[in-house]
Amino acid sequence: MEIGVKRNGIFTISFFAAVLSWPTQTNAICRTFYESDGSYTENICEEDTSNEIGIGTTAPGAKLTVQTNASGTAVQLLSGSTGYHTDLSIGRASTEGQLGIAGVGDLVLRLNDSTKKLLLQAGTGTAPLTVTNSNVGIGTTSPAYKLDVNGAGNFTGNLTVDTNVLYVDTANNNVGIGTAPSASYRLHVDGVPFIGGNVTILGDLNMGGAPMVVWEQYHRVGINENSPGAKLEVNGNVYVSTPGNGIVWKHADEARLMVNSNGILGTQCSGCSGDSQLEVALFVVDEFGAAGECSGGYIYYDEDAYEDGFEALNYDQIRVNTDPGVDARDFVDFSGGGQDNNDPYGADFADVFLLATHGSHDCTGGYSEFTMGDDGDCKVRTSEMEFGNGGSNEEAKVGLLVACDSVHQCVWENGGYDDMFHGGFNILNGYHGTSYDNHDNDIGDYIEIAEEGGVGDDWVDLLTCDGGPFNIHDQQCATSMVFGGANYTAAFIYHNEGFKNFYDQGGHTYTDTWFDCGCNPDGGVALYDHKCE
Amino acid sequence: MFRICDSRIFVVVFLSMASVTAQAVDLSRDAQDRLRSRLVVDESAINLWPALGESFDWNIGPSFDPQLFMNGIEAVAGIEGVWEAGETERSWRAETPFHTIKVIKEKMLFVVRDQRPYYLDPIPESMPEDSVLLEQARTLLEAIGARPDEMETHHIAFRARRSKPHKNLSSAPPSAPEKMSKKVYFDRSIGGIPIKGDKIVFTFSLDGRFRKMIGKWRRIDYGASTMSSSLSEEQFLSVSVEQLLVAGVDPDDAFPIYLGTTYVPYEISPGVFAVDLKGVARIGIYGPNGERRWHMHYYDI
C-alpha cells in the first residue's frame, strides 16, 4: 500500500508507492515510511506508556504531536480550492472560510510574549485590529492605550466613559459631562467647566432661576429679569463701586453723559475717541464745465434734500460743501498728504459723509474714481481714501457715494475698497453701474427712515431704481458694502446700523456686498439673474 | 395709454427754472429740431389721461389710523406681546418685543422692522409663491390707507449678498451670491400713471414671513389734483422740447432722451397732498470720462 511521501518537507497523505515497516524503539513503537527508492522518509511513533502518537518525534508530548524540521511546516490541511472550502475546520461544518471555528467554549488566541502582536487583517495594508502589550489598536499596529483608534468611529448606541465622566446619549443626540444628560439638553454639564477660548452660543443663555438671562435673538440681557425689555434690564440696584470707575452713556462711539467716580454728572468726553457731536459732511459737485472746474455735462443735485434729512435727525453739524469749495484733498487721507480730517471740509472729520458727483471705476486697478469740482484736483480715487483711521478728527462711520460705479462688484472682488475701512467706519453705500442724479428726495427719505437701523438694507431698498414711467427697476443697482469682525457681524451691521445708532463692528475681517438679484445697469455687469444663479 | 386731443387749446408755459444756465437759451427752430432728434418716444411711458373708471373715488384718502395699521401688521406677522405706543410732534411709534413701528407724520414715511436676525436663518426647503407675499403686502398697504387702484405696479426680487475676507487675510475668492431675503416693491400709481416718490418696499424672509416695511405713501386728495393734460401728443412733444431747452439740455448731445409722464405730489394742507400731471424726461449725460449718468427732469405740461 502506498501511504506516505516526503514532499517539500511536509507530511501529506496521498497515494504513492512506499515501503512500510514498524521499527521498535525504547518506550515507543514507531513505523518508518520510506520512498520507493528506499530512502528514509518519516517515523510515526506511539509512546507505549502514555499512548501518545508522534509524527516526526519519538517523544510526543500530547495525544498527537507533529514535529518537523526547524524550517518546515508541521501541518497543512487543504480541502479543494482555496476560497470555496474550509481549509481547517475545528467543530465547524460550513465551507465558506479558510479557517472556521465554532464551539460552546471560549476561543483563546494567545501569544506567550505580550510584546508580540496579534493581528487581524483582511486584505493588505495596515492590520485594522492589533492586540499587543495589553492594548487594542484599531487602525494602528502600535496601540498606546487600552483602546487606541486611529480614524473615525461611529457609535449607534450610547457611549459611556467611567459611568458619567462622559456620556453620549445617541438616542436623543445629547452629551453629558459628569452626568447622564437630561433629554432636554444637548450638552449637560454637572461641574465647573473651564473653557480656554471663545464660546459662541446661538441661542438664549439662562442662568437657572434667572439671575441672568441673555436673549441672543433679541440681543438683550436681563439681570434678575426673565424677559428683558431693553438691551440691558436690571431688576434691582446697580452699584459702581470700584474707585476710579464711572458710568458713561454713549451715543454711537461717543460719550454723551457721564457720571464720574466722584459721582459728578457731566457731559464731557473722557477716555473715549471722537467728539460728542453728530456730524455729516455733504459734498455736492454739480457744475461741470465752468471756468476752473472739471469738464462734463449738465448734472443736477439738490443738496437741500440731503440737508433736510439730517436736520430731521437733529444732527449737530451739517456741513454742505459745494463747488468750488470742494476738492479731492477732502477725501484723501491725512497721513497720505490729504485733508480728509480738515474741519469743516474733510470727509473723515464727520460721522457721515455724502459725495454726489460723477463716478467711474477701474476693475483691474481696483478703484472707483470721482470727479471733484476744483481744477487741478479733479479726480479722487477710493485707493487714496482711508476713513476712521484713528488720527486726529478721523472718525467717519458711514459713507454715501451718490455717483456711478461707486461700489462696483469687480472693484470689491479685487479688494479695491478694503483699505478704506478703519476704526468705526463700516458701511459704504453706492452703485454698481450707472446711477441717477434725481434721487435727492429719495435719499432725504432714506436718511430719515434709516435713523435707527437699516443704513445698508434701506439704501438698497430705496435707491435701487423704482419703476416710474420708464419701468426701470432693474437698471439702477444700489449696493451696500459692509465690514465686520465676522460674517454674521457684517450682516448684523448691514441691517441694524442707523444714522443715530452706530455699531462697533468688531474689526474689518469680513466684507459683504448686498444687492438685488437680476439688477442689470448701464456700465455694470448684470448682478446674476433674478434667481441669483 | 396716449390720447390725442386736437381740439384742445395749445398753451406753452415757460417756467423759470432754478437750474437755467447763465448762457442765453437757444430756442430756435433749428435747436428744437436737433433736440427733438434725441427724443425716444415710448408711448407706453406717455400717458396724458389716466384710465379712471366711472366709479373712481375722487375723495381725499383716509387719514392714517394707527390701530388699523397695527391690526394689519398683526394679521400678517402674528405679533407676539403687547404694543406699546407713543407719539411725538414728528412721529408716531409703537413697539413689541420683536417689532418697531415708526410713522413720520409730516412726510408719511413708514418704518416697520422685525428686530430678530431673520437673515441668519437657513434657507428653507421650499419658498412660498410670490402671490402669497403680494397678498400680505397688499394687506399692509390697505392698513395704511392705500386704495386697491393704487397698487397696480410691483416688482419682486431676491436680496443677496456676497462675502469675502479682507484681502490682507486671504486670497480666497468671494462667495457665490447667497439669497438672504425677498423684496416686494410697490410703486404707487393711479390710472396707469406713477406717482413720483411714493413707494413701499416690503421685506420677507425666505420662508415667507413678513419682516420689514419702509417707504412713503402720502394722503392724496385726487379731487384737488390735476389728473390729466389738455395737450395732444404733438403738443406734448413740442412742449417737452421747449422745456428741455429752457432747462439747459444740450440739443447736440449724442445720448437719447426718453419722455414720459408722471404725477408729482405737492402739499396743499398739513399732511394732505394733491398731484399734478407732469412731463418727465430721462436724460443721458456724459461724465468727464465719457461715463453715462441719468438725469430725470420734470416739467409742466
Side-chain angles (χ1 to χ4, degrees):
Chain A
M1 179 179 178
E2 299 168 349
I3 297 176
V5 64
K6 181 179 181 184
R7 182 181 295 166
N8 299 328
I10 301 172
F11 182 82
T12 61
I13 299 172
S14 66
F15 298 94
F16 197 84
V19 178
L20 181 65
S21 67
W22 295 88
T24 300
Q25 296 185 16
T26 305
N27 298 326
I29 301 172
C30 298
R31 289 176 175 81
T32 302
F33 289 81
Y34 295 90
E35 295 286 0
S36 56
D37 60 1
S39 61
Y40 169 80
T41 299
E42 194 61 272
N43 286 330
I44 298 177
C45 304
E46 179 186 9
E47 212 285 333
D48 59 358
T49 57
S50 60
N51 297 322
E52 294 168 336
I53 306 263
I55 300 174
T57 177
T58 58
K63 282 297 180 187
L64 176 62
T65 301
V66 179
Q67 182 173 324
T68 186
N69 296 332
S71 60
T73 298
V75 177
Q76 184 179 51
L77 300 177
L78 298 175
S79 176
S81 302
T82 300
Y84 293 94
H85 303 285
T86 299
D87 291 338
L88 175 59
S89 175
I90 302 173
R92 181 178 174 85
S94 56
T95 57
E96 69 277 15
Q98 289 184 302
L99 172 62
I101 301 173
V104 296
D106 296 338
L107 171 62
V108 178
L109 296 177
R110 179 176 179 273
L111 298 171
N112 208 37
D113 183 347
S114 67
T115 64
K116 301 300 182 186
K117 295 176 179 176
L118 179 61
L119 307 173
L120 281 183
Q121 184 174 15
T124 58
T126 303
L129 181 66
T130 301
V131 179
T132 185
N133 281 322
S134 301
N135 294 331
V136 175
I138 298 176
T140 173
T141 56
S142 303
Y145 305 95
K146 289 298 178 193
L147 176 62
D148 195 342
V149 179
N150 179 19
N154 180 37
F155 292 84
T156 57
N158 292 346
L159 173 65
T160 305
V161 177
D162 194 13
T163 312
N164 290 327
V165 171
L166 176 68
Y167 190 106
V168 180
D169 175 1
T170 56
N172 296 303
N173 300 322
N174 293 337
V175 174
I177 298 175
T179 180
S182 161
S184 305
Y185 303 134
R186 188 70 71 226
L187 175 63
H188 190 168
V189 179
D190 182 7
V192 180
F194 172 81
I195 300 169
N198 296 335
V199 176
T200 301
I201 299 174
L202 297 178
D204 293 346
L205 179 62
N206 295 289
M207 305 285 192
M212 188 165 92
V213 170
V214 178
W215 276 7
E216 184 273 342
Q217 201 168 21
Y218 316 119
H219 308 109
R220 293 175 182 173
V221 175
I223 297 177
N224 199 26
E225 171 55 54
N226 267 326
S227 304
K231 293 300 178 195
L232 173 64
E233 181 169 344
V234 180
N235 183 3
N237 293 329
V238 177
Y239 296 93
V240 179
S241 54
T242 305
N245 287 345
I247 301 173
V248 178
W249 277 265
K250 283 188 170 182
H251 178 88
D253 204 22
E254 298 165 350
R256 293 303 178 89
L257 187 63
M258 188 173 107
V259 179
N260 68 17
S261 57
N262 296 319
I264 298 172
L265 178 66
T267 56
Q268 73 270 36
C269 177
S270 175
C272 58
S273 61
D275 55 43
S276 59
Q277 302 277 305
L278 269 177
E279 300 150 340
V280 59
L282 307 174
F283 297 82
V284 181
V285 190
D286 61 0
E287 295 177 13
F288 300 96
E293 296 168 349
C294 294
S295 62
Y298 168 86
I299 194 167
Y300 173 78
Y301 295 106
D302 179 8
E303 60 269 21
D304 290 345
Y306 310 141
E307 200 173 352
D308 290 347
F310 287 103
E311 281 179 354
L313 302 190
N314 289 322
Y315 261 50
D316 300 295
Q317 271 196 46
I318 302 170
R319 298 193 303 279
V320 181
N321 310 311
T322 57
D323 42 29
V326 176
D327 72 39
R329 288 168 294 183
D330 298 328
F331 282 84
V332 175
D333 187 55
F334 175 71
S335 62
Q339 299 176 353
D340 71 350
N341 65 341
N342 189 26
D343 181 12
Y345 293 114
D348 204 9
F349 180 84
D351 300 283
V352 178
F353 67 80
L354 179 151
L355 171 62
T357 184
H358 272 298
S360 60
H361 76 289
D362 185 324
C363 291
T364 308
Y367 59 82
S368 293
E369 186 175 67
F370 306 104
T371 303
M372 310 301 284
D374 192 6
D375 196 21
D377 288 298
C378 280
K379 300 281 191 295
V380 64
R381 294 176 175 174
T382 53
S383 54
E384 300 169 305
M385 302 178 185
E386 290 186 64
F387 297 111
N389 42 338
S392 174
N393 295 331
E394 296 183 285
E395 58 185 63
K397 298 168 182 67
V398 174
L400 307 176
L401 297 173
V402 188
C404 298
D405 301 322
S406 45
V407 177
H408 200 284
Q409 283 281 303
C410 73
V411 177
W412 173 81
E413 288 172 356
N414 293 332
Y417 303 119
D418 288 5
D419 292 335
M420 298 172 69
F421 290 81
H422 301 274
F425 188 69
N426 52 25
I427 292 187
L428 186 66
N429 290 339
Y431 295 93
H432 168 78
T434 305
S435 76
Y436 290 72
D437 64 14
N438 272 96
H439 273 295
D440 314 325
N441 290 315
D442 288 337
I443 291 177
D445 293 344
Y446 153 74
I447 291 163
E448 289 198 58
I449 286 172
E451 177 181 7
E452 297 166 83
V455 162
D457 198 46
D458 294 359
W459 171 268
V460 185
D461 284 355
L462 296 172
L463 278 303
T464 292
C465 197
D466 58 1
F470 307 110
N471 193 26
I472 46 180
H473 243 303
D474 283 339
Q475 295 180 27
Q476 177 173 264
C477 305
T479 51
S480 181
M481 177 173 51
V482 187
F483 263 94
N487 197 287
Y488 60 86
T489 313
F492 175 84
I493 290 168
Y494 168 78
H495 287 90
N496 292 282
E497 180 143 298
F499 283 110
K500 294 182 75 175
N501 190 23
F502 301 116
Y503 282 96
D504 178 356
Q505 77 285 2
H508 297 91
T509 311
Y510 284 93
T511 173
D512 289 346
T513 54
W514 296 72
F515 53 86
D516 268 3
C517 299
C519 205
N520 186 12
D522 284 341
V525 176
L527 294 169
Y528 308 93
D529 64 15
H530 286 93
K531 294 182 178 179
C532 258
E533 294 172 346
Chain B
M1 186 180 70
F2 189 83
R3 294 183 181 178
I4 299 174
C5 303
D6 288 332
S7 61
R8 296 176 185 278
I9 299 171
F10 175 31
V11 179
V12 177
V13 180
F14 291 90
L15 296 176
S16 62
M17 304 293 292
S19 55
V20 173
T21 63
Q23 297 174 337
V25 175
D26 180 5
L27 293 176
S28 66
R29 169 58 61 185
D30 181 55
Q32 292 188 35
D33 289 344
R34 283 185 279 127
L35 191 139
R36 190 156 180 161
S37 69
R38 292 184 62 190
L39 300 182
V40 176
V41 180
D42 176 1
E43 291 193 0
S44 66
I46 300 171
N47 188 348
L48 299 173
W49 289 84
L52 307 179
E54 290 184 0
S55 59
F56 181 75
D57 183 0
W58 292 91
N59 292 323
I60 186 172
S63 58
F64 172 68
D65 180 347
Q67 188 59 53
L68 188 66
F69 192 28
M70 287 188 289
N71 292 345
I73 293 171
E74 288 181 12
V76 300
I79 295 297
E80 301 170 44
V82 178
W83 290 105
E84 294 180 16
E87 190 167 12
T88 66
E89 185 178 352
R90 175 173 171 252
S91 64
W92 173 88
R93 65 182 296 144
E95 292 183 355
T96 72
F98 305 144
H99 292 81
T100 60
I101 301 176
K102 184 169 69 175
V103 180
I104 299 170
K105 293 182 284 188
E106 183 184 355
K107 294 185 175 180
M108 292 311 291
L109 298 176
F110 293 88
V111 185
V112 182
R113 299 186 197 277
D114 186 333
Q115 303 292 348
R116 291 170 284 195
Y118 59 87
Y119 41 87
L120 297 178
D121 291 344
I123 295 178
E125 290 184 2
S126 63
M127 300 182 198
E129 296 291 328
D130 287 350
S131 59
V132 176
L133 308 185
L134 286 171
E135 188 58 35
Q136 292 188 56
R138 288 195 175 99
T139 298
L140 290 166
L141 285 172
E142 288 176 2
I144 61 171
R147 298 159 37 146
D149 54 1
E150 297 173 328
M151 307 178 197
E152 296 170 357
T153 311
H154 64 263
H155 173 79
I156 299 179
F158 281 111
R159 178 64 45 81
R161 75 167 177 184
R162 300 178 71 202
S163 302
K164 70 178 184 67
H166 190 287
K167 67 180 181 182
N168 294 340
L169 299 175
S170 169
S171 59
S175 69
E178 183 182 4
K179 291 189 276 282
M180 304 298 285
S181 62
K182 206 156 194 181
K183 301 287 181 176
V184 177
Y185 298 84
F186 263 95
D187 300 311
R188 189 176 189 178
S189 63
I190 194 80
I193 301 176
I195 297 174
K196 180 179 183 291
D198 278 23
K199 61 183 173 185
I200 299 283
V201 185
F202 299 92
T203 302
F204 295 89
S205 48
L206 296 176
D207 61 4
R209 298 173 67 182
F210 167 72
R211 300 298 188 177
K212 195 181 91 170
M213 166 184 177
I214 61 171
K216 180 161 65 179
W217 205 275
R218 287 167 280 195
R219 186 184 183 197
I220 293 177
D221 184 350
Y222 289 111
S225 299
T226 304
M227 299 295 288
S228 59
S229 171
S230 60
L231 301 181
S232 68
E233 178 183 12
E234 180 56 35
Q235 290 166 344
F236 170 76
L237 296 177
S238 297
V239 169
S240 299
V241 166
E242 294 197 22
Q243 292 279 29
L244 293 174
L245 287 172
V246 168
V249 175
D250 183 355
D252 299 317
D253 198 307
F255 215 51
I257 298 171
Y258 298 86
L259 294 183
T261 52
T262 192
Y263 287 125
V264 177
Y266 61 99
E267 193 169 28
I268 55 176
S269 63
V272 180
F273 295 78
V275 296
D276 269 357
L277 185 66
K278 301 261 188 181
V280 55
R282 182 183 174 216
I283 307 167
I285 302 166
Y286 285 113
N289 296 327
E291 72 273 17
R292 291 177 180 179
R293 187 175 177 84
W294 290 104
H295 168 62
M296 303 282 268
H297 182 69
Y298 297 85
Y299 53 94
D300 289 337
I301 55 175

